[in-house]
């Protein structure tokens, strides 16, 4: 089994990702021993690979009785996630709210968010309150969404800011009632934080048309726990994005025309099972073939279709095989024509091309069980989920 070490992302101790963004109004606590921190790296893997990722490391620990366990949850991203659902559902966000009296609430589900549907939600703030929501980005990609203040005629008394990795990247100008947020390129594990504040008057901030654009089919959220003999001492959420090769890595089969490959001697050997399907070259190096995956089999999120047109001339059947490979994530389509020159008659599944010198009765050889049921053979490739059971749910030694 080939093991692929994922691209390593930045190290993010998970305890930094707990609800933040609101300043506590308490006196400084006495100096205490440095807390235990379980730290690790996020990873990116290809959808067809067998792989492992480095386990996190517990720092500042002198105990020899620490055990490590993890639980996995898989979220489908399909290369474009829309709305506040799936991985981006509000129940997955870390959050903190503070009322006008200074009390901070970090328990339960965010009760200051009103969900109005899969793609619309509102942050509801009472006078003098604040709220902060934070989520780790699941894969390399981009985020966009619309936001707007609802109600009232003056909005200078409210603020709504967007942070990436603790850095403010968008803050509205006074009297700006709405805007659209477009992120720069984000890496797996970067944090997206939304911070809202109402002063003398309450406010509703509506969020809609959320999109996350990525090349990732999904993400595995792995929750690690370091436990001593008594209780859990630290946790770490590891994100493992599952990506697919780009459509630019598609290689179409060669033409059997006497130039790229020899002319076919038997019409029964003119089907794709003999002359080749398009392949995905997963490492982008066409000089290597061990990594190429045929689209005649199920693979990630591609579909491969073909149509044949035939021309019988001078004792040869010329087949023009028109291939189309569609990327179900981006809906991009890649086309190519494969030319096959066959001695003898034409297969019975092709569509004859009218020709001035074409014989009225084109020879069709007799062969069994090699022709598809129709002129178009379709292979629909959906990402499989069975592979998640192994090695995802197996503990490392």
């Amino acid at each position: 089994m080939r093991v692929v070490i994922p691209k390593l992302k930045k190290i993010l101790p998970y305890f930094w990702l707990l609800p933040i963004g609101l300043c506590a109004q308490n006196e400084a606590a006495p100096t205490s021993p440095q807390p235990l921190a379980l730290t690790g790296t996020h990873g990116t893997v290809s959808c067809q690979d067998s792989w492992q990722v480095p386990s996190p490391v517990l720092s500042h620990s002198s105990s020899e009785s620490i055990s490590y366990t993890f639980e996995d949850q898989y979220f489908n991203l399909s290369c474009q996630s829309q709305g506040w659902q799936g991985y981006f559902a509000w129940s997955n966000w870390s959050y903190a709210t503070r009322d006008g009296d200074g009390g901070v609430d970090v328990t339960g589900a965010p009760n200051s968010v009103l969900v109005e549907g899969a793609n619309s939600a509102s942050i509801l703030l009472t006078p003098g309150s604040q709220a902060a929501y934070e989520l780790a980005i699941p894969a390399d990609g981009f985020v966009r969404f619309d936001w707007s203040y609802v109600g009232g005629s003056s909005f200078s008394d409210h603020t709504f800011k967007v942070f990436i990795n603790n850095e403010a990247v968008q803050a509205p100008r006074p009297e700006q009632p709405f805007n659209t947020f477009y992120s720069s390129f984000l890496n797996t594990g970067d944090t997206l934080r939304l911070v809202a504040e109402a002063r003398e008057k309450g406010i509703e901030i509506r969020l809609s048309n959320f999109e996350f654009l990525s090349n990732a089919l999904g993400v595995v959220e792995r929750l690690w726990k370091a436990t001593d003999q008594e209780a859990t001492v630290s946790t770490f959420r590891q994100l493992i994005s599952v990506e697919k090769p780009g459509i630019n890595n598609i290689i179409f089969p060669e033409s059997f025309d006497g130039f790229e490959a020899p002319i076919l001697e038997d019409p029964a050997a003119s089907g794709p099972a003999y002359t080749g399907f398009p392949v995905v070259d997963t490492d982008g190096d066409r000089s290597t073939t061990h990594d190429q995956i045929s689209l005649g089999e199920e693979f990630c999120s591609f579909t491969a279709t073909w149509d044949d047109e035939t021309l019988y001339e001078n004792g040869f059947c010329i087949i023009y095989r028109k291939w189309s490979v569609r990327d179900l994530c981006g809906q991009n389509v890649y086309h190519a024509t494969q030319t096959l020159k066959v001695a003898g008659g034409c297969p019975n599944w092709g569509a004859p091309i009218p020709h001035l010198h074409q014989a009225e009765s084109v020879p069709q050889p007799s062969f069994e069980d090699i022709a598809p049921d129709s002129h178009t053979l379709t292979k629909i490739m959906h990402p499989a989920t069975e592979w998640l059971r192994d090695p995802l749910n197996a503990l490392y030694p």
Side-chain angles (χ1 to χ4, degrees), residues 148-262:
S148 62
Y149 293 133
V150 178
S153 57
S154 176
F155 305 103
S156 59
D157 197 37
H158 313 293
T159 59
F160 176 71
K161 298 181 180 180
V162 181
F163 292 78
I164 300 294
N165 295 332
N166 300 328
E167 180 180 351
V169 292
Q170 184 180 95
R173 301 184 303 273
E175 302 295 332
Q176 182 180 20
F178 59 87
N179 203 349
T180 298
F181 171 72
Y182 296 93
S183 76
S184 58
F185 182 77
L186 303 174
N187 293 310
T188 304
D190 285 346
T191 58
L192 171 66
R193 190 192 311 167
L194 312 178
V195 179
E197 180 180 3
R199 296 183 179 89
E200 295 182 1
K201 298 181 180 180
I203 189 65
E204 176 184 349
I205 302 172
R206 182 161 297 167
L207 308 173
S208 59
N209 300 320
F210 178 88
E211 290 183 309
F212 176 66
L213 306 177
S214 173
N215 195 44
L217 297 172
V219 61
V220 177
E221 185 183 54
R222 173 169 292 176
L223 175 59
W224 284 91
K225 294 182 180 180
T227 307
D228 61 14
Q229 294 179 349
E230 297 180 357
T232 299
V233 296
S234 185
T235 60
F236 176 72
R237 289 190 185 274
Q238 188 175 44
L239 298 175
I240 307 164
S241 61
V242 182
E243 297 189 347
K244 64 175 184 60
I247 198 169
N248 57 314
N249 289 342
I250 300 293
I251 299 177
F252 288 93
E254 60 188 347
S255 293
F256 288 79
D257 55 1
F259 297 97
E260 292 185 16

Side-chain angles (χ1 to χ4, degrees), residues 44-381:
T44 299
V45 298
S46 295
C47 53
Q48 83 286 350
D49 288 330
S50 298
W51 50 273
Q52 293 178 345
V53 293
S55 57
V57 177
L58 186 65
S59 60
H60 313 301
S61 173
S62 59
S63 174
E64 297 181 357
S65 60
I66 299 294
S67 63
Y68 300 87
T69 60
F70 65 80
E71 295 180 358
D72 291 325
Q73 187 172 6
Y74 179 77
F75 293 94
N76 183 29
L77 297 177
S78 299
C79 303
Q80 182 179 9
S81 293
Q82 296 182 331
W84 310 101
Q85 54 188 334
Y87 179 85
F88 294 95
W90 286 103
S91 58
N92 293 327
W93 292 64
S94 299
Y95 84 102
T97 58
R98 185 173 67 188
D99 296 328
D101 59 5
V104 177
D105 175 22
V106 293
T107 60
N111 54 18
S112 58
V113 174
L114 173 64
V115 179
E116 301 166 338
N119 201 24
S120 183
S122 293
I123 298 176
L124 306 176
L125 297 178
T126 58
S129 64
Q130 296 177 331
Y133 309 88
E134 185 174 285
L135 186 68
I137 297 299
D140 293 354
F142 301 86
V143 166
R144 73 163 300 279
F145 61 88
D146 299 329
W147 66 267
S148 62
Y149 293 133
V150 178
S153 57
S154 176
F155 305 103
S156 59
D157 197 37
H158 313 293
T159 59
F160 176 71
K161 298 181 180 180
V162 181
F163 292 78
I164 300 294
N165 295 332
N166 300 328
E167 180 180 351
V169 292
Q170 184 180 95
R173 301 184 303 273
E175 302 295 332
Q176 182 180 20
F178 59 87
N179 203 349
T180 298
F181 171 72
Y182 296 93
S183 76
S184 58
F185 182 77
L186 303 174
N187 293 310
T188 304
D190 285 346
T191 58
L192 171 66
R193 190 192 311 167
L194 312 178
V195 179
E197 180 180 3
R199 296 183 179 89
E200 295 182 1
K201 298 181 180 180
I203 189 65
E204 176 184 349
I205 302 172
R206 182 161 297 167
L207 308 173
S208 59
N209 300 320
F210 178 88
E211 290 183 309
F212 176 66
L213 306 177
S214 173
N215 195 44
L217 297 172
V219 61
V220 177
E221 185 183 54
R222 173 169 292 176
L223 175 59
W224 284 91
K225 294 182 180 180
T227 307
D228 61 14
Q229 294 179 349
E230 297 180 357
T232 299
V233 296
S234 185
T235 60
F236 176 72
R237 289 190 185 274
Q238 188 175 44
L239 298 175
I240 307 164
S241 61
V242 182
E243 297 189 347
K244 64 175 184 60
I247 198 169
N248 57 314
N249 289 342
I250 300 293
I251 299 177
F252 288 93
E254 60 188 347
S255 293
F256 288 79
D257 55 1
F259 297 97
E260 292 185 16
I263 294 174
L264 299 173
E265 298 295 333
D266 186 355
S270 60
Y274 300 92
T275 59
F277 286 90
V279 299
V280 179
D281 190 77
T282 57
D283 66 357
D285 183 359
R286 299 195 175 200
S287 64
T288 60
T289 58
H290 67 275
D291 61 302
Q292 294 179 354
I293 308 297
S294 172
L295 292 185
E297 304 171 357
E298 291 190 1
F299 176 75
C300 291
S301 63
F302 292 103
T303 66
T305 63
W306 58 269
D307 284 296
D308 280 353
E309 292 184 336
T310 61
L311 179 67
Y312 186 73
E313 189 174 51
N314 297 326
F316 288 97
C317 179
I318 303 175
I319 302 173
Y320 299 102
R321 180 159 294 157
K322 299 179 179 179
W323 285 102
S324 296
V325 175
R326 181 180 297 274
D327 179 0
L328 298 181
C329 280
Q331 294 303 316
N332 297 313
V333 183
Y334 204 180
H335 300 286
T337 299
Q338 179 187 23
T339 302
L340 309 174
K341 194 170 184 180
V342 187
C346 290
N348 56 17
W349 65 76
I353 300 176
H355 193 280
L356 293 176
H357 304 287
Q358 180 143 325
E360 294 183 0
S361 178
V362 177
Q364 294 187 349
S366 175
F367 42 78
E368 297 180 354
D369 300 328
I370 76 162
D373 293 334
S374 63
H375 293 165
T376 300
L377 173 65
T378 302
K379 291 288 186 180
I380 300 180
M381 320 303 168

